[in-house]
Amino acid sequence: MKLCVIPIDNRPVCYNLIKEIAKIDEGIELYIPPRNLLGSLTKDAKVVGLYSWLCKLPEVDGIVLSLDTLAYGGLIPSRRCPDSYQDIVSRMNDFKEVLMTKNAKIYAVSSIMRISNNNYNEEEKEYWNKYGKYIFEYSYEKHKYASNLGLESPVKNLIPPDILNDYKQTRLRNFKVNKMYLEWKKEGFFDTLIFSKDDCAEFGYNVMEAEHLQRLGGEVITGADEIPLSLISKAIECDLSVNPVFIEPENKNLISNYEDVSIEKSVQNQLKFAGIKTSQDADITLIVNNFKEHQGEIVMKQPTEQFSGELNLPNNPYMIADVRNANGADNNFVEEFFKKFRYDDFYGYSAWNTSSNSLGSLICCAKVKYNALKNNSYNDDAFKKVQMVRFLDDWAYQANIRQQIKEPCNIQELMKPYEKRVSDILELKIKNEYSYPWNRLFEIEVVNELY
């Protein structure tokens, strides 16, 4: 299968993970732009360079496409980009012409602009550090009380009119672009078009826009960074069934942090999106280490009741979504899992960032492995390398090492005990190196090689 992927940005989970999962199936011929063409925290994607790269791309079977990268320069730039609606329409029409020459199925995602509930402007416009929470509250109340015609949230008086107007105009521009994509879908340009809903609350402009797009026939899914991987899952055509099993079944109706649907619904949506059937008599069991009462978040000092008891692994193939915390493993669960670990039937582990992030990437890895085994094109070392990164990032770093440091630093020695444990269970001799690609603690990059 010849597959082209244009990621959201250059983060390890958005770029490296795609490349490393593709290597699990030697039957996948992956085309992905050079990393330096993609956006980062402070730099937009090089859109002209991406256009030239796409022009040279040979015909492929499928193209997984982050529309934000081409339209705005990336997911984060989609909230900052100063270009007008007309400028973006002109640019995207140029890309559309090139993409049509590739005779490929196009699996695309475009974000519904998020609205974060904080005064933290690292990924937003400058004014977010003073007015972010006010804008969130205004948006929330505007939607919640929309039926009360004529009433206006008093929070509006706390936001300078020019700032509120700028925010609304940026939202409106992006919303109009998304409606244009819907027209392209109706024309048959996209095989699949998904609108991603990131960092959600129950109410807000983003929720209103999602509902509007759905009324127009659009497909909306909660999530963001994992969606290109979910689209890869969708592009891989093979019959696969999964049986979701929740560690805390009585609490599967609870809603994860940064999401607006229950963890059970999130699981169902991710499996359906990936083209996977659910069945009790399934090919793979998906074990979900879900939470009681509320999801924890280690770095934000939001505790939750951790796993206790005994883990009974199924006798058939299995994969694990460890979502008791947002962004970081449940240490108790990992300890119990390592005691019971059985590699022969293991199809993956994930615990990074939101529940949807973990689920979408995990399911993609499992489906690629399943299909590769079916077609005798499986690379076991590549699968082990992916799992090594997930354990070292999601468990060792996010749940442990990150809590011991205050700024990016050399963590090589701190990681060694964790490296040994993971190497032992995976029976893999590997050298790992660590860096901070966006110069912040939020994510690390794990680069490994066999020896």
Side-chain angles (χ1 to χ4, degrees), residues 63-125:
I63 298 174
V64 172
L65 180 59
S66 169
L67 291 164
D68 290 347
T69 297
L70 304 184
Y72 313 106
L75 177 63
I76 292 172
S78 71
R79 308 163 200 150
R80 298 172 172 167
C81 176
D83 295 352
S84 70
Y85 172 72
Q86 290 76 16
D87 290 337
I88 291 167
V89 169
S90 176
R91 179 184 308 141
M92 293 309 294
N93 278 325
D94 289 342
F95 275 109
K96 183 182 181 185
E97 288 183 14
V98 173
L99 289 164
M100 288 176 69
T101 67
K102 307 305 173 184
N103 297 319
K105 291 183 177 180
I106 298 178
Y107 307 86
V109 56
S110 180
S111 69
I112 297 169
M113 191 171 129
R114 80 170 187 179
I115 176 164
S116 53
N117 185 15
N118 55 51
N119 285 344
Y120 192 48
N121 67 352
E122 185 180 55
E123 297 186 7
E124 313 293 336
K125 290 192 176 183

Side-chain angles (χ1 to χ4, degrees), residues 182-435:
L182 265 180
E183 293 303 312
W184 290 8
K185 176 69 168 67
K186 293 173 184 176
E187 296 168 7
F189 177 67
F190 299 116
D191 182 84
T192 299
L193 173 63
I194 295 294
F195 296 107
S196 65
K197 194 167 46 166
D198 187 22
D199 285 2
C200 293
E202 187 178 3
F203 299 101
Y205 278 121
N206 52 347
V207 181
M208 284 195 285
E209 289 170 10
E211 291 170 349
H212 190 107
L213 291 169
Q214 286 174 313
R215 287 195 295 271
L216 294 174
E219 186 173 355
V220 177
I221 189 167
T222 298
D225 299 340
E226 84 290 347
I227 290 183
L229 287 159
S230 299
L231 287 168
I232 292 172
S233 300
K234 190 172 184 65
I236 295 170
E237 297 179 0
C238 78
D239 290 328
L240 172 62
S241 58
V242 167
N243 179 29
V245 174
F246 293 86
I247 295 292
E248 310 290 351
E250 67 279 8
N251 294 302
K252 63 185 180 180
N253 63 317
L254 298 179
I255 297 175
S256 303
N257 297 353
Y258 311 108
E259 300 193 357
D260 61 346
V261 295
S262 70
I263 184 61
E264 181 182 33
K265 187 68 174 176
S266 187
V267 169
Q268 291 171 347
N269 287 344
Q270 290 289 342
L271 289 171
K272 181 182 178 182
F273 183 21
I276 295 172
K277 297 172 289 188
T278 56
S279 168
Q280 290 190 335
D281 183 24
D283 300 304
I284 302 175
T285 298
L286 168 58
I287 300 170
V288 182
N289 181 31
N290 58 313
F291 43 90
K292 295 181 178 180
E293 294 188 3
H294 64 273
Q295 190 176 35
E297 191 161 3
I298 301 167
V299 73
M300 302 298 289
K301 311 299 182 189
Q302 295 178 1
T304 191
E305 184 178 334
Q306 301 297 290
F307 174 84
S308 61
E310 188 174 350
L311 173 65
N312 295 309
L313 293 177
N315 294 322
N316 67 319
Y318 68 96
M319 56 178 161
I320 292 178
D322 185 358
V323 297
R324 196 166 289 241
N325 300 301
N327 205 26
D330 173 355
N331 278 307
N332 289 2
F333 180 84
V334 172
E335 290 296 332
E336 176 68 10
F337 174 47
F338 282 179
K339 291 176 188 175
K340 304 292 180 64
F341 184 79
R342 190 178 72 251
Y343 182 73
D344 288 348
D345 291 326
F346 179 53
Y347 274 70
Y349 171 92
S350 189
W352 68 273
N353 216 3
T354 67
S355 295
S356 291
N357 290 159
S358 290
L359 287 161
S361 56
L362 172 70
I363 291 165
C364 178
C365 183
K367 190 173 184 182
V368 169
K369 176 175 178 175
Y370 181 85
N371 191 57
L373 284 168
K374 189 175 179 181
N375 293 316
N376 298 314
S377 54
Y378 173 62
N379 185 320
D380 190 53
D381 284 344
F383 175 75
K384 285 184 175 180
K385 287 180 71 176
V386 170
Q387 298 312 309
M388 171 71 78
V389 173
R390 293 275 54 84
F391 282 124
L392 292 181
D393 189 341
D394 308 354
W395 170 57
Y397 176 73
Q398 297 291 353
N400 294 282
I401 301 303
R402 186 176 171 185
Q403 318 314 311
Q404 302 172 30
I405 59 179
K406 294 183 178 179
E407 60 184 20
C409 60
N410 188 335
I411 59 172
Q412 206 76 36
E413 288 300 315
L414 292 172
M415 293 291 285
K416 280 187 175 179
Y418 300 96
E419 287 181 3
K420 185 178 186 313
R421 292 197 68 188
V422 178
S423 294
D424 287 347
I425 69 159
L426 292 177
E427 297 182 354
L428 188 68
K429 290 187 176 180
I430 199 164
K431 179 182 178 182
N432 300 285
E433 294 184 353
Y434 308 94
S435 62

